[in-house]
Amino acid sequence: MPSSQISGKAYHDATKHSYLSVQLDPNYVDASTQPSSFKVYPKFYRRVKLNLNNPVHSFISLTSAVTLEKVYKDGPYKLRVNPSAGALYPTEVYVQVRRIEGMVDGIYHVEVENNCLTLIYELIDDGLENYIIPGKCINGFIFLISCVYYRSSWKYQNRSIRYCFLDSGHHLGAVAASAFLHNRDIQLIFDFDKLALNSDLGFENKEFITACAVSGEIQDKKIRSLRLKVPFVSGTDYFESNQFIEDAYKATTLQKSRQQKLEYPQFDFDRDKFYQTVWDRRSIRRFRKECISQEDYLYVVQQLQQSIPTENYEEIEIYSVVHQVEGMTPGLYKGTYLVKAGNFSEKTGYLCINQAIARDGAVTLFFVSDYLNYQTAMQIAGFLGQRLYLTSNYLGIQCSGIGAYYDDETQELLETNKDVLYGMVIGI
């Protein structure tokens, strides 16, 4: 059967973890062989240094910025506003700028390592619109999220298709956070001609577009497709292809997502405090097993229930395994509804491949979905994951994503037949 006819669920099922599969394939890698995690175009391309005092520059920079550099035994790691499975950062960001004062109309690559924009394509009467929203012109910004998948598959093999999509959703969440801080509305778009765009952007099989975010004035005007192909530049210093991932991407790109009315979230975050939260966001590695307040937990749940600004949608249900929340009975919840009482901390620790954070946190959350489009569902799970990171950190609560768990056994705990897309944990 052609890969385009295979469902996203088949690819999800093919990458499930079980106790036995993890024992048989513990998946150790040599850290010294890690491919490069930054894409850089040749030095002769025109660049714009991003100045955080310039509102437009700040808006773009904060979608992807390096916020901390840490040195480990195998070298320095540059941590960013968006978390990533294994800190491998497969995602890249490109932004089309049209009719923005002081900037050449064009498509730019966000060069994260050097905090600058690289002009890779100058617009005339063409642009990205015809691939994404034909018949429209966007005066403003079109952000494209892409994945250089080998950065992740180098370590996680076939299961990295999940992490690429989740990381893409997290990066969309970082774009949304920057838009909030700069008083700009954005719309996420998942259903568009990604395969044609990959080809015209010169990505070959080494990188692929996953989603876009639009911010600006939308006009009725036909914009033609890119008149020239963009020269290919690899996002890694070496590359090994993975046919499973390439097939999974293509198949889940061609399936349509569910549709909904576009609605924007209404957040009440203090912008100065939220700005600092974006800069300070980190993934926690251990908890002190302390309680969080019921008020804070309910605030987190409320923010997760806010609208996601997109017409392409897959519903995500969130289960919370409450371990240590003041005034709440330990047990499994959907929102504020207690599904079953019990102390499941040891169980969640086991389910998350014996990761102590899933046992010691205040709440372990699992995102599940009965989706039409797997790629969209995973990205929305990642988008909500970014919202959870920022909301909990805003309240002084720590957070971490968990992409590795025993899939079928986790479904049994949750008493659901829907696929488990993501795990997360919050606590102190």
Side-chain angles (χ1 to χ4, degrees):
M1 182 183 293
S3 62
S4 61
Q5 296 178 22
I6 301 175
S7 71
K9 181 167 178 56
Y11 288 106
H12 183 84
D13 289 348
T15 57
K16 283 184 175 180
H17 278 327
S18 67
Y19 180 81
L20 183 60
S21 73
V22 172
Q23 299 304 310
L24 292 175
D25 185 13
N27 198 28
Y28 297 118
V29 294
D30 180 354
S32 68
T33 67
Q34 180 178 346
S36 59
S37 57
F38 291 99
K39 180 172 182 174
V40 179
Y41 281 79
K43 61 183 179 181
F44 55 80
Y45 278 69
R46 292 162 62 188
R47 285 171 166 78
V48 178
K49 190 69 176 176
L50 290 171
N51 177 0
L52 292 180
N53 293 320
N54 178 317
V56 170
H57 288 195
S58 176
F59 173 40
I60 296 171
S61 177
L62 206 57
T63 67
S64 309
V66 172
T67 57
L68 181 69
E69 184 168 340
K70 295 183 74 172
V71 178
Y72 296 94
K73 62 181 180 181
D74 53 337
Y77 279 79
K78 294 185 177 181
L79 305 180
R80 314 183 194 181
V81 290
N82 54 302
S84 173
L88 300 178
Y89 297 107
T91 53
E92 294 285 337
V93 175
Y94 303 82
V95 58
Q96 176 179 291
V97 174
R98 191 188 296 277
R99 294 194 177 180
I100 297 297
E101 185 178 352
M103 296 191 69
V104 173
D105 286 2
I107 301 170
Y108 297 80
H109 171 246
V110 180
E111 194 172 299
V112 179
E113 187 173 30
N114 301 310
N115 192 37
C116 66
L117 290 177
T118 304
L119 179 63
I120 63 172
Y121 190 95
E122 194 164 345
L123 305 179
I124 298 180
D125 60 347
D126 52 350
L128 299 176
E129 289 92 340
N130 199 43
Y131 306 88
I132 299 166
I133 44 173
K136 303 292 184 182
C137 173
I138 298 168
N139 295 324
F141 307 90
I142 301 176
F143 291 90
L144 293 177
I145 310 294
S146 76
C147 287
V148 181
Y149 78 77
Y150 183 57
R151 292 179 190 162
S152 184
S153 65
W154 161 79
K155 181 175 183 180
Y156 296 119
Q157 303 168 357
N158 289 355
R159 193 171 168 104
S160 69
I161 190 65
R162 299 187 182 202
Y163 303 147
C164 283
F165 293 155
L166 288 171
D167 278 9
S168 176
H170 273 289
H171 218 142
L172 286 171
V175 175
S178 186
F180 168 78
L181 287 168
H182 293 87
N183 294 302
R184 296 180 182 274
D185 284 334
I186 62 161
Q187 178 182 348
L188 311 182
I189 304 177
F190 298 100
D191 292 359
F192 57 94
D193 195 351
K194 300 173 189 175
L195 299 183
L197 192 48
N198 289 335
S199 176
D200 288 354
L201 289 173
F203 285 169
E204 299 184 355
N205 66 326
K206 299 175 178 64
E207 187 173 350
F208 48 68
I209 296 294
T210 47
C212 83
V214 171
S215 179
E217 178 192 358
I218 301 178
Q219 294 182 329
D220 290 326
K221 181 180 179 182
K222 183 168 176 58
I223 300 292
R224 68 174 173 137
S225 299
L226 301 183
R227 66 193 187 278
L228 301 169
K229 280 194 175 183
V230 179
F232 171 70
V233 171
S234 179
T236 55
D237 48 349
Y238 76 106
F239 172 76
E240 295 177 14
S241 64
N242 181 309
Q243 196 61 49
F244 176 90
I245 291 173
E246 292 177 22
D247 288 346
Y249 169 73
K250 289 176 183 175
T252 57
T253 291
L254 296 171
Q255 294 159 347
K256 290 295 182 184
S257 310
R258 300 182 196 276
Q259 301 297 303
Q260 68 170 13
K261 180 182 177 182
L262 177 64
E263 293 183 357
Y264 294 100
Q266 302 296 321
F267 295 118
D268 60 358
F269 301 120
D270 175 85
R271 277 183 165 76
D272 289 340
K273 183 179 176 183
F274 192 76
Y275 178 84
Q276 201 57 48
T277 300
V278 168
W279 277 102
D280 293 343
R281 185 216 58 79
R282 300 282 177 268
S283 296
I284 193 69
R285 287 290 165 260
R286 62 177 58 88
F287 291 105
R288 301 195 302 269
K289 299 185 180 182
E290 295 182 11
C291 286
I292 64 172
S293 72
Q294 184 175 3
E295 180 184 9
D296 283 349
Y297 170 73
L298 295 178
Y299 183 78
V300 167
V301 170
Q302 182 183 36
Q303 304 317 308
L304 289 175
Q305 292 172 342
Q306 290 243 26
S307 301
I308 295 175
T310 183
E311 293 178 342
N312 315 136
Y313 188 65
E314 296 293 346
E315 184 178 1
I316 306 295
E317 295 180 6
I318 301 179
Y319 288 85
S320 298
V321 185
V322 170
H323 310 307
Q324 299 176 92
V325 177
E326 293 172 0
M328 292 185 68
T329 301
L332 176 66
Y333 288 78
K334 283 188 72 176
T336 56
Y337 172 72
L338 178 61
V339 178
K340 57 182 175 184
N343 184 343
F344 299 115
S345 58
E346 293 294 334
K347 181 69 172 179
T348 54
Y350 159 76
L351 290 173
C352 296
I353 324 292
N354 294 312
Q355 295 182 71
I357 55 172
R359 180 196 66 209
D360 297 341
V363 184
T364 305
L365 302 98
F366 293 102
F367 298 16
V368 309
S369 181
D370 183 16
Y371 46 81
L372 292 179
N373 185 297
Y374 180 63
Q375 187 178 135
T376 299
M378 290 295 282
Q379 291 186 86
I380 290 177
F383 183 86
L384 287 171
Q386 187 72 3
R387 187 179 285 180
L388 177 59
Y389 259 106
L390 293 175
T391 301
S392 57
N393 283 188
Y394 180 85
L395 297 173
I397 298 169
Q398 302 303 315
C399 180
S400 184
I402 300 176
Y405 41 82
Y406 302 138
D407 291 77
D408 291 344
E409 290 188 73
T410 301
Q411 283 180 296
E412 290 174 15
L413 172 68
L414 304 181
E415 300 179 356
T416 181
N417 58 5
K418 298 177 182 179
D419 285 341
V420 182
L421 306 186
Y422 200 14
M424 298 195 75
V425 60
I426 59 175
I428 297 174

